[in-house]
Amino acid sequence: MTSEFEAASTGSSATALASPPPLVRGPDLGPDLADDIQASLAGAYILDDRLQWVEALAALGGVRGREAWYRLAGMKPDGVNPRPLAAQIEFTQRCNLTCSFCYNDSGPDNRDELSMDCLASVCQQLIDLQVAELIISGGEPLMRPAHLGLVLDIFSGSGIPIHVLTNGTLMTDAWCRRLKDAGAVTLQVSLDGGDPAVHDVVRGRRGSWAKALGGLAMAADHGLHTFVSTVLTRDNVASLPALVDACYLAGCRTLNIGDLITWGRGDPFMASGACTDDQYDDAAEFIRARGLALQDHMDIRLAVSMYFYICQLRYRGQESMLIRGDGSVRPHCTLSGIVCGSVHEESLAEIWDRRLAAVHRSAELDAVLAAHQLVVTPRLRQIRCARRSS
């Protein structure tokens, strides 16, 4: 009898991935963990994305996978990259919502933001560093229209793809046209499930679900590639079918459903709000089935967890930088607790060369890994980020 996993794999458009390359274990992984993750990968989410296969193998210490990743991404084999491949600018931490699990504590009262002169300098430095993509986030970037307009103006014509992350509630036709004209590649809107009431409680404002969905549909109508990000919680798991339907009808191109990032307000939220393993497994089954059913219309993904990302980082090297509203420079949103420098004191190139490029080899990353434990469940949940009880 063909299992559901086997049926999904044979139905995938990329049959070359049905049999992943053999795993060569690295020194930091025991055989049981490696086998569990390999089996999980073979049967679950990664059905038609060759690059993600390579990422997964690289994260597990697979020599073959790691070498392939370096070739595909153009990175140095020693894992220390000469420049960042991607950058994220959180030019303001101010937001019109107060999400329960915000990883950077954004909200109406957070006043951290870059000055216009500092922001202009940061943008030009990133162009000089030849980053491969730029992510604009916050806070809520649309709360600072002059800042957002400045970034778009500076990067216009640079050829660097721009991705804008927003809660969607402040989107207008004028902004959609502005983003489209500036060459924005994707517009990401956050939706916390398909139940408006649950979303509005999490976001701290009544009516925010409807406004976010309206902003998503507006952006899709203007031809932007629309991307929805959803954090899976125990309160929104039941509304995933409604979420998929709403995103599809609004013209969403990609729906990314993932775990909590346990920084900021996400850390205390995890104890009461994180979904159980059984809920996660059921959600993963649904996401995979619906993803296959809608693969010609909308890409539905189950995101890699925070811990799995860190494991990848240890083997493939640091690729990105995050510039926050207070001027601090950090490795990535999932590692936002590690501060590598400040744009008020050094150039981005200096911070990269001095500290950030090799952060994956640092004692601070070891401390982050030590603060989390690895939980591999029998079926779909590859790696679950959970705080140690001790």
Side-chain angles (χ1 to χ4, degrees), residues 89-136:
I89 303 177
E90 298 175 353
F91 53 70
T92 181
Q93 306 305 135
R94 189 176 298 190
C95 186
N96 58 326
L97 304 180
T98 52
C99 303
S100 302
F101 43 71
C102 180
Y103 73 87
N104 61 18
D105 289 315
S106 292
D109 298 326
N110 192 326
R111 304 299 183 184
D112 288 337
E113 65 183 37
L114 299 175
S115 69
M116 294 288 278
D117 288 343
C118 182
L119 179 59
S121 173
V122 164
C123 291
Q124 188 57 56
Q125 289 180 63
L126 291 174
I127 292 175
D128 293 342
L129 284 169
Q130 299 180 318
V131 296
E133 63 176 344
L134 173 70
I135 301 167
I136 303 172

Side-chain angles (χ1 to χ4, degrees), residues 4 14 16 20 36 44 47 51 60 80 116-117 121 146 150 156 159 194 207 268 308 331 335 337 364:
E4 187 177 355
D36 283 347
L47 299 175
L51 197 58
L60 298 179
V80 178
M116 294 288 278
D117 288 343
S121 173
L150 176 65
S156 180
F308 195 54
L335 289 172
E364 281 186 280

Side-chain angles (χ1 to χ4, degrees), residues 80-240:
V80 178
N81 301 312
R83 62 180 176 85
L85 299 179
Q88 180 174 348
I89 303 177
E90 298 175 353
F91 53 70
T92 181
Q93 306 305 135
R94 189 176 298 190
C95 186
N96 58 326
L97 304 180
T98 52
C99 303
S100 302
F101 43 71
C102 180
Y103 73 87
N104 61 18
D105 289 315
S106 292
D109 298 326
N110 192 326
R111 304 299 183 184
D112 288 337
E113 65 183 37
L114 299 175
S115 69
M116 294 288 278
D117 288 343
C118 182
L119 179 59
S121 173
V122 164
C123 291
Q124 188 57 56
Q125 289 180 63
L126 291 174
I127 292 175
D128 293 342
L129 284 169
Q130 299 180 318
V131 296
E133 63 176 344
L134 173 70
I135 301 167
I136 303 172
S137 64
E140 171 50 51
L142 290 174
M143 287 196 71
R144 284 292 174 263
H147 285 68
L148 179 56
L150 176 65
V151 177
L152 296 177
D153 287 342
I154 292 175
F155 276 87
S156 180
S158 69
I160 297 173
I162 300 171
H163 310 276
V164 180
L165 280 55
T166 172
N167 61 41
T169 61
L170 303 179
M171 187 57 60
T172 63
D173 282 313
W175 268 118
C176 288
R177 290 191 296 270
R178 181 80 172 82
L179 292 169
K180 181 72 174 177
D181 292 343
V185 175
T186 60
L187 182 83
Q188 176 179 310
V189 174
S190 298
L191 281 175
D192 293 311
D195 184 337
V198 171
H199 172 100
D200 290 355
V201 168
V202 168
R203 298 277 155 176
R205 176 163 296 187
R206 182 177 298 176
S208 59
W209 188 90
K211 288 184 177 180
L213 193 66
L216 176 71
M218 191 184 304
D221 288 343
H222 281 272
L224 288 164
H225 184 111
T226 47
F227 188 113
V228 168
S229 177
T230 298
V231 174
L232 199 60
T233 70
R234 66 184 58 178
D235 292 329
N236 67 16
V237 169
S239 68
L240 286 183

